[in-house]
Amino acid sequence: MINRVRSVVLDVAAPLALFYGLRSATGDTTALVVSMAPPALNAVLTAVRPRRLDALAVAVLAGTALGAVAALLGGGPRELLARGAWFSAPAGLWTLATLFRRQPLTFEVTRTLLPHRATLMDHLWATDGRFRATWRAITICWGAATLADSALRIVMAYTLPVAVVPALDSVLTILTIVVLQLPTHLLLRRSGHWHSLFGRPAATTG
């Protein structure tokens, strides 16, 4: 819960507050550069907390670094606004690439988010082919949606008014995550595994 609140504050609320609070005094480019700091901080905290590198956190840091370099090289605000695509496009490709690993990314992330179901998930993965196929289908959905998200961010960055895009970026992030819950839960329900992961544990009698 604490990590989710931290992510909302550092990845959504703080960047918007900094951008809209500073742009009238510093201009769009400087305000955008400053607004990169909170997500970068959250990525650092995410990467070092488990004492191992987190691939997605590293991708966020890389996107932030590219945005800062673009600013130093004279990139305008639209180039900086497109930095979201620099994160989401590689993340989408990486998500799809994990289909060729022993376990795809969406399975690993969900296993981390549901530690009380980790043993069960490991057992189902080892013994149930339909369970494995479901997570691979979920991974395809998330990877494809992330690539579409990247393309839409690029279009927004270069066609919409600069002042509008940061707020729409945040809305798009939340909307994408919410919308992707539908195929995730639908596929798990169709496979018959939803209740074992998200349902209430059976009551014990003593």
Side-chain angles (χ1 to χ4, degrees):
M1 181 63 180
I2 294 176
N3 291 335
R4 292 179 183 178
V5 172
R6 186 187 73 195
S7 293
V8 170
V9 171
L10 295 180
D11 290 340
V12 179
L16 289 177
L18 287 171
F19 173 72
Y20 290 110
L22 293 174
R23 65 183 298 267
S24 60
T26 65
D28 290 329
T29 300
T30 300
L32 286 169
V33 172
V34 173
S35 71
M36 295 179 190
L41 174 60
N42 191 37
V44 170
L45 294 174
T46 301
V48 303
R49 179 177 51 82
R51 298 181 182 178
R52 63 181 177 83
L53 288 178
D54 182 280
L56 293 180
V58 171
V60 173
L61 288 173
T64 302
L66 286 171
V69 169
L72 293 174
L73 295 178
R78 294 194 179 276
E79 286 75 16
L80 295 178
L81 288 170
R83 72 185 186 276
W86 298 342
F87 161 61
S88 57
L93 292 174
W94 170 250
T95 299
L96 294 175
T98 64
L99 290 168
F100 300 98
R101 294 172 47 185
R102 188 175 70 89
Q103 295 174 339
L105 181 64
T106 55
F107 175 85
E108 294 179 347
V109 170
T110 304
R111 186 184 181 279
T112 300
L113 295 174
L114 302 175
H116 58 296
R117 297 286 199 266
T119 300
L120 172 62
M121 292 183 69
D122 288 341
H123 173 72
L124 289 171
W125 184 268
T127 61
D128 192 328
R130 189 173 186 181
F131 184 75
R132 295 191 295 270
T134 296
W135 281 107
R136 296 194 187 284
I138 291 171
T139 299
I140 292 173
C141 290
W142 279 80
T146 304
L147 291 176
D149 172 280
S150 175
L152 183 55
R153 289 179 193 275
I154 292 175
V155 172
M156 287 166 46
Y158 288 104
T159 61
L160 297 180
V162 170
V164 174
V165 178
L168 288 181
D169 270 341
S170 297
V171 172
L172 180 60
T173 297
I174 296 171
L175 184 62
T176 300
I177 293 173
V178 170
V179 169
L180 278 170
Q181 301 308 308
L182 179 61
T184 299
H185 288 268
L186 178 61
L187 287 167
L188 285 170
R189 285 186 180 277
R190 289 183 62 184
S191 70
H193 295 104
W194 185 90
H195 190 271
S196 62
L197 298 183
F198 300 105
R200 293 183 179 180
T204 59
T205 58

